Amino acid sequence: MTTSRLPGFYNLSINERLARLAEAAGLSPDDLSAFRFEGGIDADAANHMIENVVGIHGLPLGIGLNFMVNGRDVLVPMTIEEPSVVAGASFMAKLARAGGGFRASTTEPLMIGQMQVLDIANLQKAQAAILNKKAELIAEADQIDPVLKKFGGGARDLEVRLIEDSPIGEFLVVHLIYDVRDAMGANAVNTACEKLAPHIEQITGGRVHLRILSNLADRRLARAECTIPVDELAFNARDGSETRPYTGEQVRDGVIEAWAFAAADPYRAATHNKGIMNGVDAVVIATGNDWRAIEAGAHAYAARSGRYTSLSTWGKDEYGNLAGSLEMPMAVGTIGGATKVHPGAKAALKLMGVKTAAELAEIIVSVGLAQNLAALRALATEGIQRGHMSLHARQVAIAAGATGDMIEKVAAQMVAEKTIRIDRAEEILKSPGNR
Ligand code: NAD
């Protein structure tokens, strides 16, 4: 039985946290041993993953607490270098929990493969010819990956698009719609497109140029919703010795106003969506998935109307509670890519107890929504810097050369002075009594 409520987790040592985590997730400590390696992977394994390997780049791995997704508690591994993200997600997951947690769903895992068809004499005729052979082409593509087919995946549809306005004039694009089940699907789709291309050339008399998946995976969406009881949003902001109380209604309305800004303005939407991706990418990276693919899909989807906008929406429900939703493409896998060769990624999937790519996508989009709320709540009330300051101050203190107890001492002084700069940290370190 897993619980994601681990009070006092932040006070434990790393070893104690690992033990507590294994216990809470119903796993043996060995299941999570990969988290102890630098970067969750050793040099031998890394050497097989990419070219010219000389080392391993580590990033912190933290645990998002309090998450409940579709009625199930889940402990969320998050890999990220930025302070406040894990704490922000965990705090908002706690608020969402009071409203029943996150309700999440996915579409079928349909990826799009693109084939660019050039040098066609009559585009309309070629388009009709391809559509005429659609069933045959789908049947052919369906046979290409027998393993995928065995697991219920395969070719589902074929569409032909006419690109009228391009620097090289008109051409056709064939979209192969492929169900990739629990894979991210890039290799599966690229292979299918490459194998199908000669047949497309034969039908059209043209030349198939590019054969590659689209990262605008708008047929493979994940969606999360949450309701935060308005009373849960009330809090007292502290600024030095002063306290400023916020009512739940004030915070709720402030969040909705902040969202409206992102909905209407691309300059704000870029930063708003970046905040969502703080949470999304952290889980995508921890599970060995391709975060560039997720980033590309997210931003392309955010611009689908022709104007870049917010990926999330916030409003109030009929009872005055804060209601949020997030919908975005989510091409993640639990099979293939690095997910099965990176020991840390395998341990991350085990910790969450996910078996399918859909379950993983549902958790990721829930974390994105939680992260979005953390940023909006801070921005709409006390500002983003207060939460960031103490962690940021610690990093600046370390950069200035502080070690041991001096890290906390220098950081605390800079926070009290509201001056968090490396030159000030160096001065404090050099001041009498600190040397
Ligand atoms: P993959 O080819 O390693 O694994 C997928 C294969 O696993 C399937 O084709 C199938 O044969 C098999 N399989 C077994 N059980 C399965 C199940 N339950 N569900 C689905 N498939 C199952 O991986 P992939 O997901 O096709 O490719 C992902 C990799 O491609 C990532 O590393 C990504 O970085 C890379 N990539 C991305 C792009 C891009 O995003 N534009 C382009 C090229 C490559």
Side-chain angles (χ1 to χ4, degrees), residues 145 147-148 151 180-188 213 215 290 336-337:
D145 192 331
V147 181
L148 194 49
F151 286 100
V180 297
R181 289 289 102 194
D182 297 314
M184 180 268 181
N187 287 316
L213 97 159
N215 287 115
D290 183 339

Side-chain angles (χ1 to χ4, degrees), residues 176-220:
L176 175 64
I177 315 296
Y178 217 77
D179 184 325
V180 297
R181 289 289 102 194
D182 297 314
M184 180 268 181
N187 287 316
V189 169
N190 295 344
T191 305
C193 287
E194 289 188 7
K195 293 214 166 148
L196 209 58
H199 199 169
I200 301 277
E201 289 184 336
Q202 189 208 333
I203 294 168
T204 58
R207 167 172 66 94
V208 174
H209 191 46
L210 300 198
R211 300 151 299 172
I212 176 89
L213 97 159
S214 169
N215 287 115
L216 175 50
D218 61 0
R219 308 283 288 263
R220 192 182 192 181

Side-chain angles (χ1 to χ4, degrees), residues 82-415:
E82 187 176 342
S84 303
V85 170
V86 175
S90 302
F91 184 25
M92 295 308 124
K94 197 168 159 190
L95 298 188
R97 218 183 154 80
F102 296 90
R103 305 175 293 281
S105 59
T106 53
T107 62
E108 291 297 301
L110 299 179
M111 296 297 285
I112 300 168
Q114 296 194 292
M115 286 163 276
Q116 180 191 23
V117 199
L118 303 174
D119 305 341
I120 295 176
N122 182 328
L123 290 170
Q124 275 72 25
K125 231 171 124 184
Q127 183 167 23
I130 298 170
L131 292 175
N132 206 21
K133 298 268 183 185
K134 184 169 152 171
E136 202 177 301
L137 286 163
I138 293 174
E140 183 181 340
D142 201 34
Q143 301 307 318
I144 290 169
D145 192 331
V147 181
L148 194 49
K149 199 163 163 52
K150 192 180 92 187
F151 286 100
R156 293 288 182 265
D157 203 357
L158 193 128
E159 294 163 354
V160 189
R161 293 173 51 222
L162 177 62
I163 305 284
E164 288 172 294
D165 188 17
S166 97
I168 55 162
E170 295 183 325
F171 57 85
L172 286 188
V173 177
V174 179
H175 277 193
L176 175 64
I177 315 296
Y178 217 77
D179 184 325
V180 297
R181 289 289 102 194
D182 297 314
M184 180 268 181
N187 287 316
V189 169
N190 295 344
T191 305
C193 287
E194 289 188 7
K195 293 214 166 148
L196 209 58
H199 199 169
I200 301 277
E201 289 184 336
Q202 189 208 333
I203 294 168
T204 58
R207 167 172 66 94
V208 174
H209 191 46
L210 300 198
R211 300 151 299 172
I212 176 89
L213 97 159
S214 169
N215 287 115
L216 175 50
D218 61 0
R219 308 283 288 263
R220 192 182 192 181
L221 300 174
R223 189 181 164 83
E225 293 171 350
C226 67
T227 307
I228 318 282
V230 67
D231 295 343
E232 294 287 325
L233 290 165
F235 79 110
N236 289 318
R238 252 171 243 111
D239 186 3
S241 55
E242 282 172 46
T243 301
R244 175 160 177 202
Y246 285 93
T247 66
E249 286 77 9
Q250 275 175 318
V251 178
R252 176 199 65 200
D253 295 344
V255 166
I256 296 169
E257 287 160 354
W259 160 75
F261 185 4
D265 176 31
Y267 284 93
R268 173 60 206 143
T271 319
H272 175 96
N273 290 340
K274 188 274 182 184
I276 291 173
M277 299 315 283
N278 275 343
V280 167
D281 284 341
V283 190
V284 170
I285 295 171
T287 55
N289 274 288
D290 183 339
W291 72 92
R292 288 86 53 212
I294 300 300
E295 283 280 341
H299 298 294
Y301 192 66
R304 67 194 180 284
S305 71
R307 191 188 72 190
Y308 186 88
T309 187
S310 164
L311 286 166
S312 65
T313 60
W314 290 96
K316 58 181 175 185
D317 70 8
E318 55 186 309
Y319 307 105
N321 297 319
L322 179 65
S325 71
L326 170 63
E327 181 183 87
M328 59 187 289
M330 196 52 73
V332 290
T334 51
I335 289 283
T339 54
K340 281 282 185 283
V341 292
H342 190 290
K346 278 202 286 187
L349 289 176
K350 194 154 200 174
L351 175 65
M352 288 186 284
V354 295
K355 296 275 183 292
T356 65
E359 282 174 272
L360 176 59
E362 287 165 2
I363 293 170
I364 294 173
V365 76
S366 300
V367 177
L369 186 58
Q371 204 66 55
N372 185 214
L373 180 59
L376 294 184
R377 175 187 169 278
L379 287 168
T381 57
E382 55 193 344
I384 205 89
Q385 280 311 91
R386 209 198 71 82
H388 270 281
M389 253 186 335
S390 58
L391 280 165
H392 174 58
R394 264 186 256 164
Q395 286 184 342
V396 171
I398 294 168
T403 53
D405 292 347
M406 282 311 292
I407 299 172
E408 221 37 75
K409 192 171 172 191
V410 173
Q413 188 167 338
M414 287 194 294
V415 170

